[in-house]
Amino acid sequence: MVRIVLGGEALADLPELTQTDHYVKLKFGDGTRTYTVRWFNREAREMAIDFVVHGDEGLAGPWAAAAAPGDEISFLGPGGGWAPRASADVHLLVGDESAFPAVAAALDALPAGAKAEVFLEVGSAAERQELATTDSTNVHWIHRDEHGMGYGEALTYAVQSATLPKGDIEAFVHGNADMIKPLRHHLFNEWGVPRENVSISGYWRTGLNEDGWQSSKREFVEQMEAEQDAR
Ligand SMILES: Cc1cc2nc3c(=O)[nH]c(=O)nc-3n(C[C@H](O)[C@H](O)[C@H](O)COP(=O)(O)OP(=O)(O)OC[C@H]3O[C@@H](n4cnc5c(N)ncnc54)[C@H](O)[C@@H]3O)c2cc1C
């Protein structure tokens, strides 16, 4: 991943960002790409964004890989509306690299002593990153290269084989769309986590660019809900 710190006087016009899943739409010509605000410092007029570098395809990943001080970019937003609920007994945070910034921001915002079960998938052990953890945080790292599976698959198995945490669970689950279906089923149908306690969605999908994923997302979600909620 590559961290880019954006600077500019116009950042002073943004409101304070109080959620942990705030995102902006970066503009690349006519195209936009959605990225989480890892942190925002209004006084310093700085905003950090962590980009997955995923090869030569696409707009944002290759731009971030090649970006140099002085390069310019503009964005729309921010949007977003989730932050950890302090009263939850357990915070279940699950993501691949694309959701790493939002999971890390959620950990930054947790009150001291809050219990968190964190499942993060990265390509290899070398790609692990520092996180704000306490004695009450369990971080489960899943390394794709050790499993030879597609994005999010080993992560899905890890959550499915975990013990159901006790108490009032709140879950934030984001990343590759292909892990969303089985994990949604697991959380709602197997573990019985109340729907209002769960934020779950696909941030991207293998083989589709962002426009392709966003334009097929509604159908994907409707089909998933029809299949799972009919049971
Ligand atoms: C609310 C929200 C927040 C997000 N926050 C972040 C963030 O903070 N950091 C981040 O890196 N991403 C984040 N994403 C995901 C990001 O928007 C997508 O990965 C996007 O497709 C990247 O754009 P691109 O131009 O690099 O590639 P695209 O042109 O969209 O896609 C080109 C090809 O690359 C593949 N691809 C796209 N993303 C990945 C990936 N992560 N790994 C492997 N292959 C990929 C596509 O399937 C496609 O085949 C977020 C998405 C959402 C909806």
Side-chain angles (χ1 to χ4, degrees):
M1 292 184 79
V2 170
R3 171 161 298 168
I4 306 282
V5 179
L6 307 178
E9 276 308 309
L11 292 175
D13 299 337
L14 296 185
E16 286 303 332
L17 302 189
T18 53
Q19 309 298 306
T20 57
D21 72 339
H22 274 300
Y23 60 84
V24 291
K25 297 258 177 199
L26 296 172
K27 291 168 78 172
F28 298 92
D30 292 340
T32 63
R33 292 292 187 264
T34 311
Y35 280 81
T36 303
V37 177
R38 175 65 185 85
W39 54 255
F40 174 51
N41 183 333
R42 200 145 171 270
E43 275 162 29
R45 320 288 198 241
E46 285 184 342
M47 173 185 284
I49 297 184
D50 291 346
F51 294 78
V52 177
V53 171
H54 53 81
D56 298 334
E57 280 186 62
L59 301 175
W63 177 83
D71 287 356
E72 294 188 358
I73 194 154
S74 53
F75 64 80
L76 306 170
W82 188 91
R85 173 170 54 85
S87 62
D89 295 327
V90 186
H91 303 271
L92 178 68
L93 305 172
V94 181
D96 66 8
E97 292 98 327
S98 68
F100 193 101
V103 169
L107 285 172
D108 288 346
L110 282 179
K115 187 166 166 38
E117 291 292 332
V118 185
F119 292 82
L120 286 168
E121 182 179 297
V122 290
S124 69
E127 292 170 32
R128 291 181 179 202
Q129 294 182 38
E130 287 294 316
L131 291 164
T133 56
T134 69
D135 290 348
S136 308
T137 318
N138 280 326
V139 183
H140 310 266
W141 289 102
I142 290 90
H143 306 141
R144 247 188 329 273
D145 64 349
E146 290 168 15
H147 301 283
M149 293 179 178
Y151 287 94
E153 271 187 89
L155 178 62
T156 300
Y157 287 126
V159 177
Q160 286 171 332
S161 29
T163 309
L164 171 62
K166 290 198 174 71
D168 171 23
I169 303 171
E170 171 191 67
F172 181 85
V173 182
H174 296 269
N176 189 289
D178 295 328
M179 69 190 223
I180 295 306
K181 254 188 204 180
L183 286 179
R184 183 183 183 278
H185 171 76
H186 190 70
L187 289 174
F188 293 160
N189 302 64
E190 303 293 331
W191 279 1
V193 180
R195 276 149 207 258
E196 61 275 19
N197 289 7
V198 178
S199 167
I200 185 165
S201 76
Y203 271 5
W204 67 284
R205 190 161 200 195
T206 307
L208 295 178
N209 67 14
E210 180 163 345
D211 299 331
W213 165 231
Q214 292 298 342
S215 60
S216 57
K217 192 171 179 178
R218 177 191 284 258
E219 196 183 331
F220 173 92
V221 170
E222 283 175 357
Q223 197 186 20
M224 174 175 69
E225 289 177 354
E227 272 169 31
Q228 297 184 354
D229 299 349
R231 286 184 197 153

